[in-house]
Amino acid sequence: MAGVEDRPILFASVKKLAQWAQSGSLWPAQFGLACCAIEMMATAASRFDLSRFGAEVMRASPRQADVMIVAGRVSQKMAPIVRELYDQMPEPKWVIAMGACASVGGVFNNYAIVQGVDRVVPVDVYVPGCPPTPEGLLEAVMQLQKKIRMGGRPMAPAMPSPEEVAHA
Ligand code: SF4
C-alpha cells in the first residue's frame, strides 16, 4: 500500500489557488476600436484558438469581464467611454493595449487620437506592431497569466476621473 508521501497531493494557499484559477479563466470585454480588432477576432478563431488559454469567453457586458483588450486607436471622443467601460468592470481587472495605436498613438500623432491608452486606464501588457499579430496577442495573454499567478497588482492604481479624461 502506497504511503502518504507517494500520493499525488499538492499543497497551496487559497490565494495561490485563486490566482491560478483567475489566470486560466480570463474573460475579455467584447469590443474593438479599429483594425486591430480584426486581429483580435482572428486570435479567437480556430487557427489561433484563444480558448487553449481559457480566454475566449468574450463578454458583452463589462460587468462580466475582467480583461479589457484595447484593440485599435483611441479617439479623444472615445476615451471617456473606454474609461467608463473600465470603471464598470469588477476588480480584479487587467488591461492589454493591443497594437501601436492603443499603446502610443501609432501613426496618428494628432489632436484627435489619445497618444497611448495608459493615459485613460492602467495598462498591464502592451502588444507591439501595426497590425499586431494574433501570436502577439497570445503572447500578451500568457504574460498576463504569468503576472496574475505572481500576484499581479492588488488594486488598479488611481487614474484621472472620466471628467478629466473627457477634457484632457
Ligand atoms: S496599430 Fe495599425 S492595425 Fe492597429 S488600429 Fe492602429 S493602424 Fe490599425
Side-chain angles (χ1 to χ4, degrees):
M1 191 173 143
V4 173
E5 65 277 7
D6 298 325
R7 293 182 190 165
I9 299 173
L10 289 176
F11 291 97
S13 66
V14 172
K15 188 178 171 191
K16 283 276 176 204
L17 279 173
Q19 287 166 348
W20 172 77
Q22 281 170 349
S23 71
S25 60
L26 296 170
W27 288 8
Q30 184 182 32
F31 78 103
L33 298 179
C35 14
C36 275
I38 304 297
E39 301 296 325
M40 182 176 68
M41 290 178 227
T43 313
S46 57
R47 179 165 183 167
F48 298 99
D49 197 8
L50 186 58
S51 64
R52 289 178 294 152
F53 303 90
E56 84 286 9
V57 186
M58 302 267 177
R59 307 308 303 188
S61 166
R63 292 186 172 85
Q64 298 169 351
D66 56 5
V67 181
M68 171 177 270
I69 301 174
V70 184
R73 58 186 181 267
V74 183
S75 66
Q76 295 287 356
K77 205 170 180 182
M78 196 67 187
I81 298 158
V82 170
R83 175 56 191 273
E84 191 173 340
L85 289 175
Y86 176 81
D87 286 342
Q88 288 176 350
M89 290 165 59
E91 293 277 359
K93 53 191 170 186
W94 300 278
V95 178
I96 295 174
M98 182 178 182
C101 286
S103 299
V104 292
V107 295
F108 302 102
N109 185 11
N110 61 43
Y111 66 89
I113 301 298
V114 176
Q115 300 299 295
V117 73
D118 52 8
R119 298 179 184 204
V120 180
V121 294
V123 174
D124 294 279
V125 186
Y126 297 85
V127 184
C130 172
T133 60
E135 290 93 336
L137 182 56
L138 289 178
E139 173 66 19
V141 168
M142 286 190 284
Q143 291 296 330
L144 184 57
Q145 288 178 323
K146 199 185 291 183
K147 183 172 182 173
I148 294 168
R149 284 196 290 266
M150 289 170 67
R153 54 173 156 80
M155 290 287 283
M159 295 294 290
S161 68
E163 292 73 31
E164 288 169 325
V165 168
H167 297 106

